[in-house]
Amino acid sequence: MAESAAPSVVTDDMRAQLGVEGPETVSEVTTTGCRLFARAVGHGDAIFFDAEAARARGYRDVVAPPGFLGTPVYRPNAERAERAEGPPGEGIKIPYKRILNGGTTYEYFEPICAGDVITSRGKVTEYQERTGSIGPMLIVYRETTYRRADDTVVAKVYGNIIHY
Amino acid sequence: MAEQVYFEDVEVGQPIPEIRKNCSTQQLVIWAGASGDFYQIHYDLNFAKRTGLDNLIVHGALKHAFLGQVLHDWVAPGGRIEKFGCQYRGMDYPDQDIVCGGVVTGKSVEGDRHVVELEVWTQNPSGQKTTPGTARVVLPSRG
């Protein structure tokens, strides 16, 4: 890729956010959530659906399928609040209007099973600026750490969003 | 389920068994509910067309989860997925085949962990890898 010709859009406020963890999000790994996720993907392994099958294979309960870290939590009016204050924990104002999800990586340290309550906190780890075929862009790299109630880190999710 | 794959049975360059997906709009609706991603470009064709798309598109995160299934089905019951990820490079559409596969790129023993590295992907009917990625799994050893 060519060297960025556009002026940098990374502000001091944005640099100050690097490595700063945002607020906690709590989500529950439920049997219902595991089953629905596994059904949506098309999994055939019974450990994602049935507690007995999971226990027979040494798990505590129904297993969270790969990519599932808890039932999404819906909060009424959350979208409106975010728009007013900006995304929680971020002082990031990016001038580019369009975004692309550049990719996602899940890293697992412990099996995750139904009954687990997972607390996650995210942070921005890096900004990259480039000029590509779609013009100047800013790539924001984030890392989110997921902990069980006993504080064991069970997973990390790495993602990047391309603003252009 | 297939027989257990052991670390010693695996060679660099070896492909892992593919899974062929073909998403109905019903599957995309189930995924919307499971993932909490209710963006209408994935199930409301009129909405998708108003945003300039020609068709509904398959959620990127669902294709990522397909890679999780390919890996899980290969390593189960005795192995474990440690890490898997992909980039979102191209769109896939309902009622079209999405072939999910992978190939072994590396093997190593780290302490008591028997680690296998892979390239993974989903591929569209034109042969384009729309979600290329990498993965790391551990397999049981015969030793």
Side-chain angles (χ1 to χ4, degrees):
Chain A
M1 287 217 198
E3 192 78 8
S4 177
S8 176
V9 299
V10 179
T11 63
D12 288 344
D13 278 353
M14 285 164 64
R15 263 186 288 272
Q17 289 295 327
L18 281 171
V20 178
E21 288 207 303
E24 285 186 356
T25 302
V26 178
S27 66
E28 294 152 340
V29 182
T30 61
T31 49
T32 313
C34 292
R35 288 187 192 117
L36 182 61
F37 191 101
R39 177 185 174 193
V41 176
H43 275 288
D45 193 338
I47 63 170
F48 302 129
F49 298 92
D50 181 65
E52 286 313 309
R55 289 192 191 107
R57 293 250 296 270
Y59 296 98
R60 290 168 281 129
D61 206 322
V62 171
V63 179
F68 185 63
L69 291 168
T71 305
V73 177
Y74 172 73
R75 288 186 188 79
N77 306 320
E79 207 180 325
R80 210 181 310 156
E82 274 187 26
R83 213 174 295 141
E85 301 163 19
E90 294 180 22
I92 295 181
K93 289 197 177 61
I94 295 167
Y96 300 126
K97 287 200 175 81
R98 289 168 294 179
I99 62 168
L100 283 173
N101 185 340
T104 316
T105 296
Y106 280 56
E107 184 170 24
Y108 287 100
F109 304 98
E110 291 286 328
I112 298 169
C113 295
D116 289 350
V117 177
I118 307 284
T119 300
S120 62
R121 293 183 79 179
K123 64 186 175 191
V124 175
T125 55
E126 190 186 352
Y127 302 108
Q128 272 183 24
E129 290 184 275
R130 294 182 193 164
T131 298
S133 54
I134 53 176
M137 58 177 119
L138 169 72
I139 310 173
V140 180
Y141 290 85
R142 296 182 65 88
E143 180 184 315
T144 308
T145 302
Y146 293 76
R147 287 185 167 81
R148 220 158 48 193
D150 65 4
D151 217 34
T152 307
V153 174
V154 291
K156 286 189 180 190
V157 174
Y158 311 88
N160 70 82
I161 300 286
I162 301 163
H163 301 257
Y164 67 104
Chain B
M1 193 165 298
E3 274 179 40
Q4 179 66 55
V5 173
Y6 289 91
F7 181 77
E8 289 78 7
D9 304 337
V10 172
E11 286 174 23
V12 171
Q14 176 184 328
I16 65 172
E18 291 176 347
I19 295 180
R20 188 174 298 269
K21 297 290 188 182
N22 190 302
C23 298
S24 61
T25 50
Q26 181 194 50
Q27 183 170 12
L28 301 185
V29 168
I30 299 171
W31 175 261
S35 67
D37 179 353
F38 290 102
Y39 192 25
Q40 298 95 315
I41 59 169
H42 302 297
Y43 56 83
D44 180 340
L45 185 57
N46 287 333
F47 183 97
K49 286 189 168 165
R50 282 203 302 275
T51 69
L53 294 164
D54 294 328
N55 198 350
L56 299 172
I57 60 174
V58 175
H59 300 74
L62 177 56
K63 294 187 282 181
H64 176 258
F66 287 160
L67 298 177
Q69 184 186 359
V70 168
L71 292 162
H72 174 81
D73 287 356
W74 186 58
V75 305
R80 200 161 59 81
I81 300 171
E82 287 195 337
K83 194 170 184 176
F84 75 111
C86 62
Q87 297 179 317
Y88 301 117
R89 292 273 184 83
M91 291 186 239
D92 284 276
Y93 305 99
D95 305 314
Q96 281 189 3
D97 281 355
I98 301 173
V99 178
C100 314
V103 63
V104 174
T105 55
K107 287 178 70 172
S108 57
V109 180
E110 296 170 21
D112 56 358
R113 284 164 58 248
H114 292 77
V115 180
V116 176
E117 308 266 357
L118 302 102
E119 269 176 30
V120 290
W121 59 80
T122 69
Q123 188 172 303
N124 69 14
S126 336
Q128 187 201 357
K129 289 177 178 168
T130 52
T131 55
T134 57
R136 189 179 77 228
V137 303
V138 288
L139 289 175
S141 165
R142 291 187 188 278

